[in-house]
PDB file of all heavy atoms in Angstrom:
ATOM      1  N   THR Q   1     -55.321  89.280  18.825  1.00 98.00           N
ATOM      2  CA  THR Q   1     -54.654  89.691  17.584  1.00 98.00           C
ATOM      3  C   THR Q   1     -55.698  90.089  16.552  1.00 98.00           C
ATOM      4  O   THR Q   1     -56.501  89.263  16.121  1.00 98.00           O
ATOM      5  CB  THR Q   1     -53.783  88.547  17.035  1.00 98.00           C
ATOM      6  OG1 THR Q   1     -52.806  88.181  18.026  1.00 98.00           O
ATOM      7  CG2 THR Q   1     -53.073  88.965  15.759  1.00 98.00           C
ATOM      8  N   ARG Q   2     -55.670  91.335  16.173  1.00 97.00           N
ATOM      9  CA  ARG Q   2     -56.677  91.882  15.247  1.00 97.00           C
ATOM     10  C   ARG Q   2     -56.064  92.079  13.872  1.00 97.00           C
ATOM     11  O   ARG Q   2     -55.112  92.846  13.696  1.00 97.00           O
ATOM     12  CB  ARG Q   2     -57.218  93.203  15.774  1.00 97.00           C
ATOM     13  CG  ARG Q   2     -58.239  93.889  14.852  1.00 97.00           C
ATOM     14  CD  ARG Q   2     -58.866  95.099  15.531  1.00 97.00           C
ATOM     15  NE  ARG Q   2     -57.882  96.110  15.870  1.00 97.00           N
ATOM     16  CZ  ARG Q   2     -57.501  97.102  15.053  1.00 97.00           C
ATOM     17  NH1 ARG Q   2     -58.026  97.181  13.828  1.00 97.00           N
ATOM     18  NH2 ARG Q   2     -56.620  97.988  15.459  1.00 97.00           N
ATOM     19  N   ALA Q   3     -56.612  91.390  12.883  1.00 98.00           N
ATOM     20  CA  ALA Q   3     -56.163  91.562  11.504  1.00 98.00           C
ATOM     21  C   ALA Q   3     -56.621  92.927  11.002  1.00 98.00           C
ATOM     22  O   ALA Q   3     -57.772  93.320  11.191  1.00 98.00           O
ATOM     23  CB  ALA Q   3     -56.717  90.454  10.622  1.00 98.00           C
ATOM     24  N   THR Q   4     -55.724  93.658  10.369  1.00 97.00           N
ATOM     25  CA  THR Q   4     -56.041  95.005   9.877  1.00 97.00           C
ATOM     26  C   THR Q   4     -56.014  95.108   8.362  1.00 97.00           C
ATOM     27  O   THR Q   4     -56.493  96.094   7.804  1.00 97.00           O
ATOM     28  CB  THR Q   4     -55.056  96.028  10.465  1.00 97.00           C
ATOM     29  OG1 THR Q   4     -53.716  95.637  10.123  1.00 97.00           O
ATOM     30  CG2 THR Q   4     -55.187  96.097  11.983  1.00 97.00           C
ATOM     31  N   GLY Q   5     -55.449  94.122   7.691  1.00 97.00           N
ATOM     32  CA  GLY Q   5     -55.397  94.170   6.240  1.00 97.00           C
ATOM     33  C   GLY Q   5     -54.767  92.928   5.663  1.00 97.00           C
ATOM     34  O   GLY Q   5     -54.147  92.121   6.369  1.00 97.00           O
ATOM     35  N   LEU Q   6     -54.968  92.753   4.368  1.00 98.00           N
ATOM     36  CA  LEU Q   6     -54.388  91.624   3.646  1.00 98.00           C
ATOM     37  C   LEU Q   6     -53.156  92.093   2.883  1.00 98.00           C
ATOM     38  O   LEU Q   6     -53.126  93.206   2.355  1.00 98.00           O
ATOM     39  CB  LEU Q   6     -55.409  91.034   2.675  1.00 98.00           C
ATOM     40  CG  LEU Q   6     -56.675  90.447   3.326  1.00 98.00           C
ATOM     41  CD1 LEU Q   6     -57.735  90.157   2.261  1.00 98.00           C
ATOM     42  CD2 LEU Q   6     -56.336  89.176   4.098  1.00 98.00           C
ATOM     43  N   VAL Q   7     -52.154  91.251   2.832  1.00 98.00           N
ATOM     44  CA  VAL Q   7     -50.926  91.556   2.103  1.00 98.00           C
ATOM     45  C   VAL Q   7     -51.012  90.902   0.729  1.00 98.00           C
ATOM     46  O   VAL Q   7     -51.222  89.685   0.628  1.00 98.00           O
ATOM     47  CB  VAL Q   7     -49.686  91.049   2.866  1.00 98.00           C
ATOM     48  CG1 VAL Q   7     -48.411  91.419   2.092  1.00 98.00           C
ATOM     49  CG2 VAL Q   7     -49.644  91.627   4.271  1.00 98.00           C
ATOM     50  N   VAL Q   8     -50.875  91.702  -0.310  1.00 98.00           N
ATOM     51  CA  VAL Q   8     -51.009  91.210  -1.679  1.00 98.00           C
ATOM     52  C   VAL Q   8     -49.712  91.451  -2.434  1.00 98.00           C
ATOM     53  O   VAL Q   8     -49.126  92.538  -2.363  1.00 98.00           O
ATOM     54  CB  VAL Q   8     -52.176  91.909  -2.401  1.00 98.00           C
ATOM     55  CG1 VAL Q   8     -52.340  91.362  -3.817  1.00 98.00           C
ATOM     56  CG2 VAL Q   8     -53.473  91.742  -1.617  1.00 98.00           C
ATOM     57  N   GLU Q   9     -49.268  90.450  -3.165  1.00 97.00           N
ATOM     58  CA  GLU Q   9     -48.061  90.571  -3.992  1.00 97.00           C
ATOM     59  C   GLU Q   9     -48.315  89.903  -5.325  1.00 97.00           C
ATOM     60  O   GLU Q   9     -48.685  88.720  -5.379  1.00 97.00           O
ATOM     61  CB  GLU Q   9     -46.881  89.915  -3.273  1.00 97.00           C
ATOM     62  CG  GLU Q   9     -45.546  90.107  -3.978  1.00 97.00           C
ATOM     63  CD  GLU Q   9     -44.411  89.505  -3.180  1.00 97.00           C
ATOM     64  OE1 GLU Q   9     -44.029  90.126  -2.162  1.00 97.00           O
ATOM     65  OE2 GLU Q   9     -43.933  88.412  -3.559  1.00 97.00           O
ATOM     66  N   ASP Q  10     -48.161  90.660  -6.401  1.00 96.00           N
ATOM     67  CA  ASP Q  10     -48.401  90.153  -7.758  1.00 96.00           C
ATOM     68  C   ASP Q  10     -49.790  89.540  -7.900  1.00 96.00           C
ATOM     69  O   ASP Q  10     -49.979  88.486  -8.535  1.00 96.00           O
ATOM     70  CB  ASP Q  10     -47.333  89.124  -8.137  1.00 96.00           C
ATOM     71  CG  ASP Q  10     -45.932  89.721  -8.181  1.00 96.00           C
ATOM     72  OD1 ASP Q  10     -45.821  90.916  -8.524  1.00 96.00           O
ATOM     73  OD2 ASP Q  10     -44.967  89.003  -7.861  1.00 96.00           O
ATOM     74  N   GLY Q  11     -50.787  90.181  -7.273  1.00 95.00           N
ATOM     75  CA  GLY Q  11     -52.178  89.741  -7.389  1.00 95.00           C
ATOM     76  C   GLY Q  11     -52.559  88.599  -6.480  1.00 95.00           C
ATOM     77  O   GLY Q  11     -53.718  88.157  -6.500  1.00 95.00           O
ATOM     78  N   ARG Q  12     -51.625  88.099  -5.671  1.00 97.00           N
ATOM     79  CA  ARG Q  12     -51.888  86.970  -4.790  1.00 97.00           C
ATOM     80  C   ARG Q  12     -51.826  87.423  -3.339  1.00 97.00           C
ATOM     81  O   ARG Q  12     -50.950  88.199  -2.947  1.00 97.00           O
ATOM     82  CB  ARG Q  12     -50.867  85.858  -5.024  1.00 97.00           C
ATOM     83  CG  ARG Q  12     -51.060  84.640  -4.133  1.00 97.00           C
ATOM     84  CD  ARG Q  12     -49.961  83.592  -4.329  1.00 97.00           C
ATOM     85  NE  ARG Q  12     -50.208  82.446  -3.474  1.00 97.00           N
ATOM     86  CZ  ARG Q  12     -50.955  81.413  -3.795  1.00 97.00           C
ATOM     87  NH1 ARG Q  12     -51.527  81.377  -4.995  1.00 97.00           N
ATOM     88  NH2 ARG Q  12     -51.157  80.408  -2.962  1.00 97.00           N
ATOM     89  N   VAL Q  13     -52.765  86.922  -2.527  1.00 98.00           N
ATOM     90  CA  VAL Q  13     -52.724  87.202  -1.090  1.00 98.00           C
ATOM     91  C   VAL Q  13     -51.636  86.326  -0.478  1.00 98.00           C
ATOM     92  O   VAL Q  13     -51.670  85.093  -0.582  1.00 98.00           O
ATOM     93  CB  VAL Q  13     -54.085  86.919  -0.431  1.00 98.00           C
ATOM     94  CG1 VAL Q  13     -53.977  87.049   1.083  1.00 98.00           C
ATOM     95  CG2 VAL Q  13     -55.140  87.888  -0.960  1.00 98.00           C
ATOM     96  N   ILE Q  14     -50.651  86.989   0.148  1.00 97.00           N
ATOM     97  CA  ILE Q  14     -49.524  86.237   0.720  1.00 97.00           C
ATOM     98  C   ILE Q  14     -49.418  86.399   2.236  1.00 97.00           C
ATOM     99  O   ILE Q  14     -48.480  85.891   2.847  1.00 97.00           O
ATOM    100  CB  ILE Q  14     -48.195  86.683   0.088  1.00 97.00           C
ATOM    101  CG1 ILE Q  14     -47.937  88.177   0.384  1.00 97.00           C
ATOM    102  CG2 ILE Q  14     -48.190  86.398  -1.414  1.00 97.00           C
ATOM    103  CD1 ILE Q  14     -46.503  88.605   0.119  1.00 97.00           C
ATOM    104  N   GLY Q  15     -50.396  87.088   2.826  1.00 97.00           N
ATOM    105  CA  GLY Q  15     -50.324  87.226   4.271  1.00 97.00           C
ATOM    106  C   GLY Q  15     -51.312  88.220   4.830  1.00 97.00           C
ATOM    107  O   GLY Q  15     -52.219  88.696   4.136  1.00 97.00           O
ATOM    108  N   VAL Q  16     -51.104  88.534   6.109  1.00 98.00           N
ATOM    109  CA  VAL Q  16     -52.018  89.389   6.866  1.00 98.00           C
ATOM    110  C   VAL Q  16     -51.213  90.392   7.671  1.00 98.00           C
ATOM    111  O   VAL Q  16     -50.164  90.057   8.245  1.00 98.00           O
ATOM    112  CB  VAL Q  16     -52.872  88.528   7.833  1.00 98.00           C
ATOM    113  CG1 VAL Q  16     -53.749  89.411   8.710  1.00 98.00           C
ATOM    114  CG2 VAL Q  16     -53.728  87.533   7.068  1.00 98.00           C
ATOM    115  N   GLU Q  17     -51.697  91.614   7.728  1.00 97.00           N
ATOM    116  CA  GLU Q  17     -51.171  92.601   8.672  1.00 97.00           C
ATOM    117  C   GLU Q  17     -52.095  92.622   9.881  1.00 97.00           C
ATOM    118  O   GLU Q  17     -53.323  92.532   9.741  1.00 97.00           O
ATOM    119  CB  GLU Q  17     -51.095  93.974   8.028  1.00 97.00           C
ATOM    120  CG  GLU Q  17     -50.039  94.063   6.930  1.00 97.00           C
ATOM    121  CD  GLU Q  17     -49.946  95.451   6.328  1.00 97.00           C
ATOM    122  OE1 GLU Q  17     -50.947  96.209   6.440  1.00 97.00           O
ATOM    123  OE2 GLU Q  17     -48.893  95.773   5.747  1.00 97.00           O
ATOM    124  N   ALA Q  18     -51.505  92.743  11.067  1.00 97.00           N
ATOM    125  CA  ALA Q  18     -52.310  92.653  12.283  1.00 97.00           C
ATOM    126  C   ALA Q  18     -51.671  93.442  13.409  1.00 97.00           C
ATOM    127  O   ALA Q  18     -50.512  93.865  13.326  1.00 97.00           O
ATOM    128  CB  ALA Q  18     -52.465  91.190  12.703  1.00 97.00           C
ATOM    129  N   VAL Q  19     -52.456  93.642  14.452  1.00 97.00           N
ATOM    130  CA  VAL Q  19     -51.979  94.216  15.701  1.00 97.00           C
ATOM    131  C   VAL Q  19     -52.200  93.167  16.777  1.00 97.00           C
ATOM    132  O   VAL Q  19     -53.311  92.648  16.920  1.00 97.00           O
ATOM    133  CB  VAL Q  19     -52.728  95.517  16.050  1.00 97.00           C
ATOM    134  CG1 VAL Q  19     -52.289  96.033  17.421  1.00 97.00           C
ATOM    135  CG2 VAL Q  19     -52.488  96.577  14.990  1.00 97.00           C
ATOM    136  N   THR Q  20     -51.163  92.841  17.520  1.00 97.00           N
ATOM    137  CA  THR Q  20     -51.258  91.756  18.494  1.00 97.00           C
ATOM    138  C   THR Q  20     -50.807  92.184  19.876  1.00 97.00           C
ATOM    139  O   THR Q  20     -49.945  93.058  20.029  1.00 97.00           O
ATOM    140  CB  THR Q  20     -50.424  90.539  18.043  1.00 97.00           C
ATOM    141  OG1 THR Q  20     -50.623  89.470  18.967  1.00 97.00           O
ATOM    142  CG2 THR Q  20     -48.939  90.883  17.944  1.00 97.00           C
ATOM    143  N   LEU Q  21     -51.389  91.557  20.878  1.00 97.00           N
ATOM    144  CA  LEU Q  21     -50.964  91.737  22.272  1.00 97.00           C
ATOM    145  C   LEU Q  21     -50.080  90.577  22.713  1.00 97.00           C
ATOM    146  O   LEU Q  21     -49.827  90.397  23.907  1.00 97.00           O
ATOM    147  CB  LEU Q  21     -52.194  91.819  23.189  1.00 97.00           C
ATOM    148  CG  LEU Q  21     -53.127  93.004  22.970  1.00 97.00           C
ATOM    149  CD1 LEU Q  21     -54.370  92.863  23.838  1.00 97.00           C
ATOM    150  CD2 LEU Q  21     -52.418  94.316  23.277  1.00 97.00           C
ATOM    151  N   ASP Q  22     -49.603  89.821  21.756  1.00 92.00           N
ATOM    152  CA  ASP Q  22     -48.849  88.612  22.074  1.00 92.00           C
ATOM    153  C   ASP Q  22     -47.623  88.906  22.948  1.00 92.00           C
ATOM    154  O   ASP Q  22     -47.253  88.103  23.790  1.00 92.00           O
ATOM    155  CB  ASP Q  22     -48.406  87.938  20.777  1.00 92.00           C
ATOM    156  CG  ASP Q  22     -47.945  86.508  20.998  1.00 92.00           C
ATOM    157  OD1 ASP Q  22     -48.638  85.780  21.720  1.00 92.00           O
ATOM    158  OD2 ASP Q  22     -46.898  86.140  20.454  1.00 92.00           O
ATOM    159  N   GLY Q  23     -46.990  90.058  22.753  1.00 90.00           N
ATOM    160  CA  GLY Q  23     -45.801  90.382  23.532  1.00 90.00           C
ATOM    161  C   GLY Q  23     -46.060  91.300  24.709  1.00 90.00           C
ATOM    162  O   GLY Q  23     -45.112  91.755  25.375  1.00 90.00           O
ATOM    163  N   ALA Q  24     -47.337  91.590  25.002  1.00 95.00           N
ATOM    164  CA  ALA Q  24     -47.679  92.485  26.104  1.00 95.00           C
ATOM    165  C   ALA Q  24     -47.451  91.797  27.443  1.00 95.00           C
ATOM    166  O   ALA Q  24     -47.440  90.560  27.532  1.00 95.00           O
ATOM    167  CB  ALA Q  24     -49.129  92.938  25.979  1.00 95.00           C
TER     168      ALA Q  24
END
């Protein structure tokens, strides 16, 4: 699972965007 970016909402990091092989 490769993280591709951070998710930001109202100036706060609330998560991660990623690409995963978890369902492959």
